[in-house]
Amino acid sequence: MDVFSGLHTRPEDGGGTNILLMGTDGRDTITRAEKEKFHAGGVACGCSDAMMLVHLSQKHDRLSVLSLPRDSYAEIPEHSAPDGTWRDKHPAKINAAYAEGGPALAVQTVESMTGVRIDHYLQIDFRRFIDSVNAVDGVSVCTPRRLTDSATKLRLGPGRHHLSGGTSLQYVRSRHLDASADLGRVQRQQKFLVNALRGAGTGAALADPRKAASLARTMLGSATVDQGFSVKDLVALGRDLRNIPLSKTEFGTVPIDGFNPVIENVGSTLRWDEKRSADLFAKMRADRPMTPAGSRTEPLDPPQLKVQTVVHGDKLACK
């Protein structure tokens, strides 16, 4: 199934390449033992609980990543539901778009909210995530403070830790560490992505054609949905990203203005700051950086609701 062929009234194509990276809560392919060991049980909602809008510049010399919190208020476009019924445009949390209409509706929703045309998307569930991390022999993360999560049972002391696939899943899913909730989880996901791209295991895998192809196939999975990537495309992207200096990468969360009033059958949602978020999306469309070249902004740890910052990747990487 070609997701993009069914989309209409799309934003204009700008410079560079835009990728929607989605981490879904699909867990039916991990074993019962893995669910128990890594506290990944429960009932999946079929949602995209992690969403990152990734922009690779036209010259492949700059990377911008903007996370879209899962509880962001969204207006899901009208669409035909999987059961054949027609659904009019309606309010929801942004992660519900994937649950209601799969990747096509998720892409359409993000495009309508950001004005950024999506060229590719990459969908990672629990199985693909665990296997991909293990394929690069784990990923190192660093924390200046103790991390203890009551739900995922993550337990990390201050310092540097090399995590296997299952423990990495606990790390990127944890949101009960402090009052920052999802914003803190988003920041840890960005830290994880930076360190995964720069890790020795990833470098070794990408340097070996067979290992690189195997890693790409693991990430893409066996789904019959065309994500806009071939194995060759994904390997080439990984190598391009490895070659970009961390000072030329930038990571942030879409600016938040506060909470909306509770909506019946939807709940509490985050309200984007229209002016600040529109400015960031405009820069992405124009293939321009979101931050000044010499920015030395440090990430807040834990992050705060109304003080989201965009930081360069060297501020998120393990020192």
Side-chain angles (χ1 to χ4, degrees), residues 4 13-14 25 27 51 197 223 245 282 291:
F4 297 95
D13 197 1
D25 69 344
R27 62 196 72 183
M51 300 183 78
L197 286 171
T291 52

Side-chain angles (χ1 to χ4, degrees), residues 46-238:
C47 303
S48 51
D49 277 347
M51 300 183 78
M52 294 183 184
L53 193 54
V54 180
H55 176 80
L56 178 63
S57 67
Q58 190 161 359
K59 294 182 179 180
H60 289 204
D61 61 352
R62 192 182 69 256
L63 177 72
S64 301
V65 178
L66 201 58
S67 290
L68 313 178
R70 67 170 192 168
D71 290 336
S72 299
Y73 173 85
E75 292 192 349
I76 308 295
E78 58 182 16
H79 63 279
S80 177
D83 62 4
T85 60
W86 184 258
R87 294 208 66 180
D88 293 327
K89 185 176 182 179
H90 60 279
K93 294 179 180 180
I94 194 171
N95 69 338
Y98 180 83
E100 289 187 26
L105 189 59
V107 168
Q108 188 178 3
T109 301
V110 171
E111 287 190 342
S112 69
M113 294 176 67
T114 66
V116 175
R117 185 183 180 97
I118 307 300
D119 301 299
H120 310 276
Y121 82 95
L122 186 59
Q123 170 188 332
I124 306 290
D125 60 12
F126 287 10
R127 176 80 279 150
R128 292 186 211 176
F129 181 87
I130 290 174
D131 291 348
S132 297
V133 173
N134 287 337
V136 297
D137 297 323
V139 172
S140 293
V141 298
C142 298
T143 175
R145 58 193 175 94
R146 182 171 298 279
L147 301 180
T148 303
D149 188 275
S150 59
T152 65
K153 307 303 180 185
L154 178 73
R155 301 285 188 272
L156 294 181
R160 186 186 188 104
H161 304 270
H162 194 73
L163 309 182
S164 63
T167 312
S168 293
L169 183 66
Q170 290 174 281
Y171 178 82
V172 299
R173 292 186 64 230
S174 292
R175 60 188 296 269
H176 299 282
L177 299 168
D178 48 52
S180 65
D182 265 344
L183 295 180
R185 175 163 70 170
V186 161
Q187 186 179 89
R188 284 184 292 279
Q189 290 167 352
Q190 293 174 351
K191 287 181 177 181
F192 186 87
L193 182 59
V194 168
N195 288 300
L197 286 171
R198 283 296 181 270
T202 302
L206 291 174
D208 183 317
R210 287 189 179 182
K211 288 183 178 179
S214 176
L215 175 61
R217 282 192 290 270
T218 298
M219 295 182 70
L220 290 171
S222 57
T224 56
V225 177
D226 181 3
Q227 303 186 64
F229 279 117
S230 66
V231 168
K232 184 178 179 180
D233 291 335
L234 196 54
V235 170
L237 174 65

Side-chain angles (χ1 to χ4, degrees), residues 10-31:
R10 304 187 67 193
E12 292 185 6
D13 197 1
T17 302
N18 299 313
I19 304 160
L20 181 61
L21 176 60
M22 298 189 297
T24 71
D25 69 344
R27 62 196 72 183
D28 57 338
T29 53
I30 64 173
T31 66

